[in-house]
Amino acid sequence: MKRLIPSMFHRRLVLIGTAYALAIAALALQLGHLTLVRGQQLRQQAEARLRYAEWIPTTRGRILDRKGRVVAHDRACYHVAIDYRVISGAWAREQARTFAHRLHRPEWRRLTPAQRDDLTARYLPAFERHVDGAWGRLALESGTTRDDLANERQIVFETVEAMAADLRTTWREQFLAQHALTGRALEPDDQRRLERQSTQEIAEQRSPHVIIRAVPDEIAFALLRLADQTTILDPTGSGDSASQARVPLLPGLAVEDGATREYPFESIIVEIDQRTLPLPLRADATRGIPAIGVLSDILGWMGTPTRETLNTRRDLTASDPAFAGRITAAGLDGQIDLGGYLPGDLAGTRGLEARQESYLRGLRGQRQIRRDTNQSVEFPPTPGQDVHLTIDVLLQARVQAAMSPDLGLASVQAWHANQALPSGAPLVGAAVVLDVDTGEVLAMVSTPGATQAQRRRAEGRVQQRVRREANAQAEHTLAQKEQRPPRLPLAPYDHTIDPDAMLQFNKAVGAAYAPGSVSKVIILLEAVRAGAYRLSERIACTGHLLENNPNQLRCWIFKRFQTTHSDTMGHDLSAPEALAGSCNIFFYTLGRRLGVDGIQQAYRNWGVGRGYDFGVGPTARGRVSAEDLGQAILMGIGQGPVTWTPMHAADAVATIARGGVHIQPRIVQDDAPAEPEDMGLDPRAIEAVLEGLDGAVHDAIHGTGHHITFTLAADGLTLADGTTTSTRELREEIFNIPGVRVIGKTGTATAREIDLLGPDGRPILDDLGDTVTVVPDHSWYVALVGPANGPDSGPGAGRLKYAIAVMMENAGSGGKVSGPICNQIVQALVEEGYLPRVAPQTQASGTPSRPAGGTP
Amino acid sequence: MTRVLDQLPTIIRGTSDAARPTTSVLRIGNAAWLSLISAGLLTLAGILAIDLAEHAEGAASGPLGLAGVALKQAIFALLGLAAAMTIALPHYRLIKGLAIPAMAVAVLLLIFLLLPGIPSSIVTPRNGTRGWINMGPADFQPSEVAKIAYVLVVAGYMRYRREHRTFVGLIPLGILTAIPVGLIMLQPDLGTATLFAPSLLAMLLAAGARLRHLTLIVAAAMLAGPAMYPFLRPHQKTRIVALIRQFQGDQTTAGDINYQAFTAQTLIGAGGATGVGHDRARLLLELNRLPEAHNDMVIAVVALRWGLLGAVAVVLLSAAWVLGALLTAASCKEPFGRLVCVGLAAFVAAQTAINVGMNIGLLPIVGITLPFVSYGGSSILTVWLMTGLVFNVALHRPRPPFRPSFEWHDEE
């Protein structure tokens, strides 16, 4: 080197130059690496910001009834939305700050943050007042109240803040997860970054949210006109035009297209032909009976998506690949759920709207647009899937009308002989109609009926009462511990007597009752199966089971008429005869023979202990728990520690009609029909049961479900034997619909004791001021019905096509109360075309009856 | 006034000897043209890049279709050109006389910046650094003046001395450096302060300080570097941490402390080999939100718009400027001129290298700009003054008496 460049200075210059050249080379290499090696990847990263996505709205699936009538659907409407920053107060603060900046622009740069905040605070009240006034104006224009708006605001605020907190938690977890990969401990720097992340804003905190749903079109248009208007504020109060601010009249207002969920068949007026009613109610004309809230408990309603909604969707996505494949698409930042819930979305929260939410919910479309080329990629929206019910809404309405107190069958009548409730008191209960061939539910009515709005309010009141009770209880416990007087009165809440609580479930599947005599049909079958009874055997009705004890375990005929079935029939009872006459002794005997284990197994075989979870609210599973033989004996006639739901009863008789093949009932027609399951019952036993059910309805003398006896006023009527009387009795068959064949079974099940109510509906007090209690009976009637044999019955005549179960709470006799209702249900089946309509022949007007006799 | 005009030839030629023809006093064709042309091309590129960056941030177009800030840059560049021409005319030995006064003024101004009682209307803190004096439409940065004054003073000091050949003799220079560096570090402006070290090093190297002394000092500094970490301000520590994270491939920092670095690298990479067009570049800049796009990170804008070719061209043009200065130093026989060129070249070289390095992820983000290209009134004036000085050295033949210097032999 020294020889080449003799001058040290120049050598040193070369050194400097070379060093610099090396640095330049390193820079150029790294530049090359970034642009050539990683260039593609980095360009994609940079261009990812070029794309933005827009959602395309979709529609929710409809719910259709059995005949394709639309019972739930979306209707297009306008919603009123307000930008979140106005709701949270951020708008006012931003406006005040901008105004302060504008007014104090020259010195703004030199002010400290604290001084800037002070200036902002000085002008903030004016903007806050404007926002407050805007809310009032909005309430006025839209016809709501300030309080309602304030409530909605609070809900939106809490929802979005909760969402932000969740998102921040997710970010935090992601950060920590990524950090964990590096294997380092958390340093103060990382802590600071975590803190900063925890205050980051999410998109929902900068977008509009719906405050008022489904406003009428005129209001929507009026608000649209107001949305463009501005007004002048004077935050300094000086009146100087230079220090005024121009702001929108209604800041953050947006009128959005939307949809609201409608239920066209919610309330229907049903025309009832009063000619088929029992004599005291009969009339020649039809009458319009309102059926309120038809299907409203089954359909449910929509509300803000709950954590459960989100979890259900997430679980379904994880467990069902087909579903997951349908709902996900490639978004800008990875896979997205096109049916995901955005703020302001509604989801089904009760009933089938909730149970079928994942299928009803439509998938939004997404348009991904590139800002530079304006090219777009579009995923079209997919409307939600329709859900088809097996229920016929008009049949459901007719059944509900039949059970309406207005019509009269469901209020306490004289012929009910109800000793527990005052005359005219309304009766509530449930009715189920099943299609025998398919196991589909045609109707599933629970009374009292109520509209969706009424049910929601009732639910709110129930929650309030539960909370109040809990708070009071907690306060009392605390007061006891601190040995001081409690500050809240005790607020005990009994949901069993709260009419609001009654609206929270469907009695057909959500409440369990003592079966009473209706369960005798299955006891017979199970006793035959267990070998505890042979069909050839006849058992004597001795009036009371225990020889030495005539006051317990008695047959009803002994209790009322001091006679026995063996006496009235003249011989010991066969199984069909025992069923037709509903002999208790016969079935106490079977119960004793089955024993504690056998009787429990018998009920369990028929589904007691398993509920029918259709998604229409709480499900009752029924209960069977015998501990000693005495209880087992009682359970032979459906009393004692056993309960089941009306659906259990209908399911049981439907299975019998199928010859012992069980098909699980369902209310939604999904793709997979229920698998029939042969219960392995003896066909001759089935025959015997059907014969017994036939006898119950058609045996005029012994059948408990054949007729009702009415006592009518009659003055000076001369009887055949020459005596006069002031009353006469009239007997009418329960079933008077021509062209149909009905067989069935009554049940009068002893229920829990209740307070005796006076005519005013309030409890009657005795001399000591205590309430008087009384033990009522639940009234049951199960039936199988089909077109009658006859010249013009058509094909399929003689088959039993539909199973009906009716249960009326605390109503008394099965035949007297539930029987006529069951008759009206048969009439309803004819009206809706499920049974043939046949011209009525001359109606039997009833025959005078002997004093003895009656229906249990 | 007429007196100055009368004296002008003397000033230019550096001699009152009228006998000597101009060509023997001035060297019109010289290596510094390389620097001058490079400076001009870089300035043009800078104006275009600043304009792009400003439009991406939503600035409106003014006269000539340029955004307001780009226009300001153009005006300051023209002022810089004028200043360069002015300072290129008097012989540099006359300028040497201004060295110590200039340094004194610079130091006083640096001290003034740090005085506690100064209102923010005069010294406006920017990003926490008190480095600018507010002069109405523009801000004036005393540390830039300090750079030039420093080079002049050090070059003048080492002109005929030989103490720097000994280890002990380096100490006075160290103390001399510590004054402006210390004052600048107190602002705090760590980036600018670190530029003085390469300049001193280059000048010492060129002046013939022993290599082993210099190696020792550099090694000691590198070892002592990590020990200084606790004394750094928090934001300075953050930047070092961020760089370490980058090297570790840690992506969690992309959202905050490494946002600037990652975004710059993303945009550089997105430029590819030849860059994306003007509209696409503007859109990408707008949506990717690069901080300081018009000053510290302007090379990323260049790389986005003109790709690897453009970025390398800018780097090579800077290298050409440095080469021009070094060639001027090589062809200058007079020690003061030699050292001035080397010192100024080192400033520009170091600043370019560090700025590009921090944009491409090899160095932590520090607050220094790319000479000629980045926006900054004081900055562009200063580098054009430097160009003018280099041109000055190249233009004027050394006036005797002088002797060639820095031609040491190892024994001396």
Side-chain angles (χ1 to χ4, degrees):
Chain A
M1 187 63 130
K2 275 196 216 161
R3 283 194 298 272
L4 246 122
I5 307 174
S7 155
M8 174 189 262
F9 179 71
H10 290 89
R11 282 202 301 275
R12 292 294 177 86
L13 280 185
V14 168
L15 184 59
I16 294 172
T18 317
Y20 188 54
L22 286 174
I24 296 286
L27 294 177
L29 273 175
Q30 175 70 349
L31 275 170
H33 176 78
L34 281 178
T35 53
L36 300 177
V37 173
R38 289 182 61 197
Q40 191 79 327
Q41 174 213 347
L42 289 175
R43 177 173 302 194
Q44 274 175 2
Q45 234 172 292
E47 287 186 344
R49 303 286 191 99
L50 281 182
R51 290 178 300 151
Y52 65 98
E54 277 175 351
W55 289 109
I56 305 174
T58 183
T59 50
R60 188 179 174 79
R62 304 168 302 169
I63 303 182
L64 307 167
D65 87 331
R66 186 183 189 79
K67 298 244 175 96
R69 303 179 192 108
V70 177
V71 293
H73 68 157
D74 281 357
R75 177 177 67 84
C77 63
Y78 290 109
H79 299 315
V80 176
I82 301 284
D83 191 289
Y84 186 79
R85 283 164 288 192
V86 175
I87 294 175
S88 67
W91 180 88
R93 288 192 293 272
E94 282 167 15
Q95 290 289 316
R97 195 174 183 84
T98 311
F99 179 78
H101 188 176
R102 177 164 71 84
L103 209 59
H104 300 272
R105 196 197 302 276
E107 61 265 23
W108 190 260
R109 265 176 77 185
R110 298 169 222 284
L111 294 172
T112 66
Q115 288 169 322
R116 292 178 186 179
D117 286 343
D118 281 340
L119 278 179
T120 307
R122 198 192 299 175
Y123 305 118
L124 184 60
F127 291 94
E128 285 178 337
R129 274 197 301 273
H130 177 67
V131 171
D132 194 58
W135 286 118
R137 180 74 187 264
L138 181 62
L140 191 68
E141 292 287 336
S142 61
T144 58
T145 64
R146 286 185 77 117
D147 284 338
D148 283 343
L149 281 183
N151 278 344
E152 277 306 316
R153 267 185 1 239
Q154 189 61 22
I155 292 175
V156 166
F157 182 73
E158 284 170 5
T159 310
V160 172
E161 290 298 315
M163 196 172 168
D166 274 349
L167 259 172
R168 285 173 195 148
T169 310
T170 311
W171 290 338
R172 184 193 168 84
E173 283 165 11
Q174 277 176 358
F175 175 86
L176 289 172
Q178 263 190 324
H179 190 276
L181 288 176
T182 62
R184 281 179 283 112
L186 271 185
E187 294 164 5
D189 265 347
D190 298 319
Q191 300 283 27
R192 271 193 289 276
R193 278 190 288 137
L194 275 177
E195 270 168 40
R196 224 172 314 140
Q197 249 179 17
S198 69
T199 54
Q200 218 172 336
E201 267 195 347
I202 62 173
E204 282 76 11
Q205 289 170 311
R206 294 189 290 268
S207 56
H209 294 266
V210 174
I211 288 285
I212 311 174
R213 304 200 144 265
V215 292
D217 287 357
E218 316 82 62
I219 293 183
F221 296 143
L223 286 173
L224 273 171
R225 282 193 293 273
L226 282 177
D228 289 330
Q229 292 183 22
T230 60
T231 185
I232 307 247
L233 290 186
D234 190 6
T236 60
S238 63
D240 178 14
S241 65
S243 62
Q244 285 172 341
R246 181 173 283 279
V247 290
L249 191 65
L250 296 171
L253 178 75
V255 176
E256 297 182 344
D257 291 333
T260 182
R261 194 79 169 155
E262 281 195 336
Y263 302 92
F265 286 92
E266 188 171 41
S267 293
I268 305 174
I269 308 254
V270 179
E271 293 293 324
I272 302 271
D273 180 358
Q274 296 179 95
R275 291 174 296 176
T276 53
L277 291 175
L279 184 64
L281 301 173
R282 188 170 301 150
D284 235 346
T286 61
R287 189 163 151 216
I289 303 283
I292 308 290
V294 178
L295 284 183
S296 61
D297 54 343
I298 294 175
L299 293 176
W301 56 78
M302 315 275 293
T304 312
T306 60
R307 183 143 296 270
E308 211 184 300
T309 315
L310 303 176
N311 288 345
T312 308
R313 191 175 182 85
R314 197 188 51 204
D315 293 340
L316 187 59
T317 312
S319 64
D320 183 351
F323 180 77
R326 210 166 56 83
I327 65 169
T328 50
L332 290 185
D333 301 310
Q335 296 286 82
I336 50 172
D337 176 3
L338 291 171
Y341 296 94
L342 303 178
D345 278 357
L346 293 180
T349 48
R350 295 283 180 278
L352 285 180
E353 294 274 21
R355 177 58 69 95
Q356 302 285 332
E357 170 68 15
S358 306
Y359 300 98
L360 288 170
R361 183 162 180 77
L363 304 174
R364 285 188 167 94
Q366 198 179 69
R367 201 175 291 124
Q368 294 166 358
I369 308 168
R370 282 188 62 130
R371 287 179 218 265
D372 52 342
T373 57
N374 275 332
Q375 278 173 343
S376 57
V377 169
E378 210 175 89
F379 299 109
T382 311
Q385 292 168 318
D386 289 340
V387 168
H388 297 266
L389 301 178
T390 60
I391 299 178
D392 182 323
V393 66
L394 292 186
L395 180 69
Q396 175 99 353
R398 284 185 181 278
V399 172
Q400 190 168 331
M403 292 167 72
S404 161
D406 274 353
L407 185 63
L409 294 178
S411 41
V412 177
Q413 301 285 344
W415 82 79
H416 288 174
N418 190 324
Q419 285 148 353
L421 298 175
S423 172
L427 296 168
V428 297
V432 177
V433 181
L434 294 181
D435 179 289
V436 166
D437 287 335
T438 59
E440 290 172 354
V441 176
L442 266 62
M444 193 173 104
V445 176
S446 171
T447 60
T451 62
Q452 191 193 107
Q454 289 167 335
R455 286 180 198 272
R456 290 169 96 138
R457 282 197 291 270
E459 194 181 74
R461 288 193 292 266
V462 167
Q463 284 170 352
Q464 216 176 31
R465 288 170 196 145
V466 169
R467 266 202 305 272
R468 203 180 302 151
E469 185 191 43
N471 287 343
Q473 194 56 51
E475 165 62 17
H476 275 253
T477 313
L478 194 62
Q480 208 172 42
K481 205 158 63 160
E482 294 175 356
Q483 297 187 340
R484 57 165 173 81
R487 297 193 202 108
L488 291 174
L490 269 179
Y493 175 61
D494 184 357
H495 68 93
T496 59
I497 57 170
D498 182 6
D500 284 337
M502 226 193 284
L503 293 176
Q504 308 306 309
F505 57 93
N506 184 304
K507 294 187 176 75
V509 292
Y513 306 89
S517 304
V518 168
S519 63
K520 285 173 181 166
V521 300
I522 67 172
I523 295 298
L524 176 63
L525 293 170
E526 289 294 329
V528 169
R529 197 219 306 253
Y533 171 77
R534 300 218 338 255
L535 287 166
S536 52
E537 185 187 343
R538 287 179 177 268
I539 299 180
C541 173
T542 54
H544 49 94
L545 184 69
L546 304 172
E547 265 193 49
N548 307 325
N549 192 339
N551 294 318
Q552 284 188 338
L553 297 177
R554 297 171 290 183
C555 189
W556 66 269
I557 206 172
F558 183 75
K559 200 162 87 170
R560 274 191 74 178
F561 303 110
Q562 284 79 46
T563 177
T564 71
H565 281 110
S566 294
D567 286 340
T568 57
M569 290 187 196
H571 51 256
D572 290 344
L573 279 63
S574 66
E577 287 167 344
L579 268 181
S582 197
C583 174
N584 286 354
I585 304 300
F586 189 98
F587 287 96
Y588 281 144
T589 310
L590 291 190
R592 181 163 58 182
R593 287 185 193 176
L594 279 171
V596 171
D597 294 327
I599 197 88
Q600 288 185 86
Q601 192 55 49
Y603 278 104
R604 291 214 183 91
N605 285 344
W606 289 83
V608 179
R610 286 193 304 275
Y612 295 88
D613 184 16
F614 296 136
V616 299
T619 305
R621 293 194 299 223
R623 187 176 66 100
V624 55
S625 58
E627 283 165 19
D628 57 49
L629 195 57
Q631 288 181 339
I633 293 173
L634 280 175
M635 284 160 77
I637 67 163
Q639 303 285 171
V642 58
T643 60
W644 72 358
T645 68
M647 183 62 72
H648 282 103
D651 195 12
V653 289
T655 302
I656 292 170
R658 285 182 215 117
V661 174
H662 177 251
I663 302 180
Q664 183 72 10
R666 61 187 200 277
I667 64 172
V668 172
Q669 294 174 8
D670 23 58
D671 302 335
E675 284 290 318
E677 182 198 322
D678 192 333
M679 287 183 70
L681 297 166
D682 188 337
R684 294 172 306 148
I686 303 259
E687 275 291 320
V689 168
L690 289 174
E691 203 184 312
L693 294 182
D694 187 274
V697 173
H698 293 116
D699 186 336
I701 301 172
H702 304 288
T704 57
H706 174 256
H707 61 266
I708 302 178
T709 307
F710 303 105
T711 306
L712 305 172
D715 285 315
L717 186 67
T718 312
L719 294 176
D721 61 359
T723 57
T724 57
T725 171
S726 61
T727 62
R728 65 186 181 102
E729 286 188 347
L730 193 67
R731 217 197 231 195
E732 267 199 343
E733 287 179 20
I734 294 175
F735 293 101
N736 53 22
I737 313 295
V740 301
R741 174 174 169 241
V742 183
I743 66 176
K745 180 79 189 73
T746 61
T748 307
T750 310
R752 265 205 302 253
E753 67 178 280
I754 56 173
D755 290 336
L756 185 63
L757 300 178
D760 57 354
R762 314 238 323 259
I764 295 178
L765 303 175
D766 64 10
D767 301 326
L768 298 173
D770 293 329
T771 55
V772 180
T773 58
V774 70
V775 179
D777 295 322
H778 294 318
S779 161
W780 287 90
Y781 206 110
V782 296
L784 289 165
V785 34
N789 273 319
D792 38 35
S793 303
R799 276 202 311 112
L800 296 164
K801 290 180 71 177
Y802 305 104
I804 304 173
V806 179
M807 189 285 308
M808 301 303 286
E809 276 184 19
N810 302 334
S813 152
K816 290 190 175 126
V817 190
S818 298
I821 293 178
C822 198
N823 184 49
Q824 288 303 308
I825 296 180
V826 175
Q827 172 71 18
L829 284 167
V830 171
E831 296 286 347
E832 293 301 324
Y834 292 94
L835 291 168
R837 191 188 291 274
V838 171
Q841 288 120 23
T842 42
Q843 283 265 56
S845 53
T847 53
S849 70
R850 303 163 301 167
T855 42
Chain B
M1 190 57 186
T2 41
R3 273 204 51 152
V4 173
L5 282 178
D6 287 340
Q7 295 285 353
L8 201 55
T10 315
I11 295 171
I12 293 176
R13 291 159 51 163
T15 173
S16 47
D17 186 352
R20 310 209 36 209
T22 309
T23 46
S24 73
V25 180
L26 295 178
R27 213 167 26 186
I28 307 292
N30 56 55
W33 283 104
L34 187 59
S35 296
L36 194 63
I37 295 173
S38 310
L41 291 174
L42 283 172
T43 308
L44 272 172
I47 292 173
L48 289 175
I50 293 169
D51 182 57
L52 179 61
E54 285 295 299
H55 275 127
E57 281 174 27
S61 291
L64 295 178
L66 291 176
V69 168
L71 201 59
K72 269 171 90 170
Q73 177 85 337
I75 293 172
F76 275 111
L78 287 174
L79 282 174
L81 184 61
M85 292 200 300
T86 312
I87 205 164
L89 289 181
H91 196 286
Y92 54 85
R93 61 199 284 259
L94 298 171
I95 302 213
K96 175 181 167 312
L98 293 174
I100 297 192
M103 191 68 191
V105 169
V107 167
L108 283 174
L109 285 173
L110 287 173
I111 294 177
F112 174 74
L113 284 174
L114 299 171
L115 290 177
I118 306 294
S120 325
S121 52
I122 300 180
V123 175
T124 317
R126 223 188 265 177
N127 294 334
T129 302
R130 295 169 63 93
W132 285 263
I133 298 180
N134 184 9
M135 308 194 49
D139 291 338
F140 169 67
Q141 198 175 5
S143 51
E144 297 286 325
V145 173
K147 285 182 194 171
I148 300 184
Y150 172 77
V151 168
L152 293 176
V153 165
V154 169
Y157 179 84
M158 289 207 288
R159 189 157 67 133
Y160 288 123
R161 283 185 226 266
R162 55 186 300 158
E163 284 82 354
H164 54 273
R165 289 282 285 173
T166 66
F167 195 81
V168 175
L170 296 173
I171 295 177
L173 281 168
I175 297 173
L176 185 59
T177 311
I179 298 172
V181 169
L183 288 172
I184 292 175
M185 273 176 62
L186 286 173
Q187 284 178 357
D189 189 352
L190 196 56
T192 311
T194 52
L195 293 175
F196 283 74
S199 179
L200 178 62
L201 197 63
M203 284 197 279
L204 282 175
L205 204 59
R210 291 191 196 274
L211 282 176
R212 46 175 187 276
H213 295 157
L214 294 178
T215 323
L216 206 60
I217 294 176
V218 169
M222 293 223 274
L223 287 174
M228 303 306 293
Y229 183 77
F231 296 99
L232 292 175
R233 301 271 181 104
H235 70 269
Q236 293 163 339
K237 286 188 191 171
T238 307
R239 287 171 176 166
I240 304 222
V241 167
L243 183 68
I244 298 175
R245 296 276 184 269
Q246 251 191 77
F247 283 155
Q248 291 169 332
D250 187 350
Q251 291 291 320
T252 63
T253 54
D256 37 66
I257 58 175
N258 262 328
Y259 176 74
Q260 196 170 348
F262 280 160
T263 309
Q265 287 166 43
T266 305
L267 289 174
I268 291 176
T274 55
V276 304
H278 180 272
D279 290 326
R280 177 80 70 86
R282 179 180 156 179
L283 207 55
L284 283 173
L285 268 176
E286 196 179 323
L287 296 166
N288 278 284
R289 286 182 299 130
L290 179 66
E292 313 285 349
H294 56 292
N295 43 18
D296 288 8
M297 318 306 277
V298 75
I299 188 78
V301 177
V302 169
L304 179 65
R305 174 74 177 85
W306 292 291
L308 179 66
L309 289 180
V312 168
V314 162
V315 170
L316 288 179
L317 281 173
S318 289
W321 191 98
V322 171
L323 183 65
L326 289 179
L327 286 176
T328 307
S331 62
C332 175
K333 295 195 176 51
E334 203 254 344
F336 179 71
R338 283 180 167 182
L339 282 186
V340 164
C341 288
V342 169
L344 295 178
F347 263 113
V348 171
Q351 199 167 337
T352 306
I354 296 178
N355 180 283
V356 176
M358 79 185 191
N359 268 279
I360 60 182
L362 293 178
L363 293 170
I365 304 272
V366 289
I368 61 172
T369 55
L370 190 60
F372 297 104
V373 187
S374 286
Y375 171 74
S378 318
S379 167
I380 201 157
L381 273 175
T382 309
V383 286
W384 271 103
L385 269 176
M386 290 183 185
T387 313
L389 277 173
V390 169
F391 200 82
N392 188 330
V393 171
L395 187 62
H396 295 280
R397 293 185 196 284
R399 179 86 172 86
F402 70 93
R403 60 172 190 272
S405 49
F406 310 135
E407 307 290 354
W408 310 108
H409 302 289
D410 283 329
E411 314 80 49
E412 298 176 47

